[in-house]
Amino acid sequence: MAEATAPTSNPKATLRMPTTLALGWRRTRIELRQFFRDKESAFFTFALPMFLMIIFGSVFNTEIAPGVTFAQYFVAGMIASGVVYTGFQNLAITIPQERDDGTLKRLQGTPMPKASYFIGKIGLVLVAYVAQVILLGIIGVLFFKLELPTEASKWLTFAWVSVLGLLCCTLLGLAFSSVPKSGRGAPAIVSPVVLVLQFTSGVFFVFSQLPVWMQHLASLFPLKWLVQGMQSVFLPESFASQTTGTDSWQLGQVALVLGIWTIGGLAVALLTFRWQSRSR
Amino acid sequence: MDNCLRNQTAKIAVPKRRVVHERLPPRGRIAAMTGAKAIEAAEVTKSYGDVKALRGVNLEIAHGQCVALLGPNGAGKTVTTEIFEGYRKRDGGDVRVLGTDPNHGDRRWKSRLGIVLQDARDLTDLTVRESVTHFSSYYPNGRTSDDVIQAVGLVEKADAKAGQLSGGQRRRLDVALGIVGRPDVLFLDEPTTGFDPEARRQFWDLIDDLKEDGTTILLTTHYLDEAEHLADQVAVINRGRVLAVDSPDALGNRQKSQAVVQWLEDGVQKSASTATPTALVGELATRLGPEIPELAILRPTLEDVYLRLIADDGGDLNIPTVAGGGSRG
Ligand SMILES: Nc1ncnc2c1ncn2[C@@H]1O[C@H](COP(=O)(O)OP(=O)(O)O)[C@@H](O)[C@H]1O
Ligand SMILES: [Mg+2]
């Protein structure tokens, strides 16, 4: 056995490597399986927004504009928040945990490409988001007189705002996953970021009633624009002026700001994403 | 005298310098790496701040060989292994694994490696079968999950979640994921930690099978019996340097020329180191009558040699120096 001669050519060189996409699909499935089996993460992703929805919706069920109750307003904000929860918050918390428990280190040592791992995360985020939206939609319709839009154009808006927002937040989540030093400390760093954005972007309060400087500040970040996009789908046209100060929902600007953050998130994620936490 | 066995105060005289370098690539050979070996490492250094984790590691492993990296805690086993695996960047020296610098290993190169890391706490929510099936799909020619689960002896636990496995079972899952891609080179960092004796035997059989298939294996271990059983070559590493590389027999019998004879004389335990034990026994038989009381002739074990190598290198290891009775002048 010892001193066997070196094979001159590698017999495995002709075997075909699995494609990045095929492995991305496999990653998606395994990510979903793990996500839904982890009771804690499933609870916080689905139950928490639901509770918030029911509590806020019931306590502040007053009209804030002709034909618009706060509950309806809040549903749109929570669906926008769902994009941030499932994309940004979920990844920015779980990836540092995966870095700590050796998940990422194990993956790094396999021939699975990084891109497949990212595809898996995007797949996970997409499914978790759809499930969350359906849940919030049902609660909104059943308890808070949420009116689902009937025009196809509104659903089209809903689709592109969701997809662009998810892409943006997923990349930002990947980028932000390098910030927490440990998996244990990740929630304490990530959750406040989301909470502050929710307060300033018009999720918990009517945006037009916030101080002007706060409105300006929130306009720098994606959540405000996500909320605006969702309001354009679920609230009447007449409400646009409340949020934008103009007659229109400014969807072009929504796309622009989300697009810029998406590109920025992609650049930072590519530059800073690390498989391992400790210095090597 | 200058020799010793376990439980003796005398000092073993391992001809350090000569042994150390006889099988190592000479300095300056870095540029001449051919890739003919499965693993080649020359003068590899690595520091963490003030800690010199590796101080010039030299190692060569031929294709199909099984080498055990033996050394105390903190010797540099994991750092060495992870540099070979591409996880850590060396500060200096040169490394080739399957002819490739691990710093620049691509997917295809990785598909030829199997890696079992020292500690892993991941995959807790997946069953053994799910994990093995999933990781098999990463490789161009992965094994079936049934084969692998059978090979590591986890058939009964195939549908249990990893989080519910015992320490030894969990470790077997790690080994399963290491071999699922039919690796040409398999790295095992303390693979049998937490194994019961039966699991260890089973693991040894598995490694024997892999050797049969021509897999090159580098394993780190604390267990000398494991190294002795599995390894074609044992590399003793301490404080970031490889002290000796040799077959377990050659390493264990390094003191073959010297044996220790023990006996009882006038109610006192005596012992003597000698190159000619038969002659000594003959002399004793003449002096002490037909039966020499409590006669024993001992050869140093691999463990003796190992402990002595480490002690002579000035490691932290404390060799118990039990005064083992009288000694002959
Ligand atoms: N990431 C790291 N940061 C700092 N020191 C390290 C790191 N990894 C290893 N070391 C140090 O390098 C030395 C060798 O470690 P290691 O290879 O893990 O030992 P072992 O032989 O027990 O596997 C030890 O002194 C250890 O503390
Ligand atoms: Mg170690």
Side-chain angles (χ1 to χ4, degrees), chain A residues 81-135:
Chain A
S81 299
V83 176
V84 177
Y85 286 139
T86 51
F88 179 77
Q89 178 166 292
N90 171 22
L91 296 190
I93 289 176
T94 55
I95 292 175
Q97 286 167 353
E98 289 185 340
R99 207 175 273 129
D100 273 6
D101 71 16
T103 302
L104 298 189
K105 190 170 180 181
R106 185 192 296 283
L107 294 177
Q108 187 193 0
T110 72
M112 194 260 314
K114 226 185 237 183
S116 302
Y117 173 78
F118 290 160
I119 292 172
K121 286 296 184 200
I122 292 171
L124 165 67
V125 166
L126 208 64
V127 173
Y129 171 71
V130 169
Q132 202 181 62
V133 165
I134 291 174
L135 204 66

Side-chain angles (χ1 to χ4, degrees), chain A residues 95 99 104 114 177-181 269 272-278:
Chain A
I95 292 175
R99 207 175 273 129
L104 298 189
K114 226 185 237 183
S177 71
S178 300
V179 175
K181 286 225 166 53
T272 63
F273 184 80
R274 294 170 300 140
W275 286 118
Q276 289 178 63
S277 51
R278 285 199 308 176

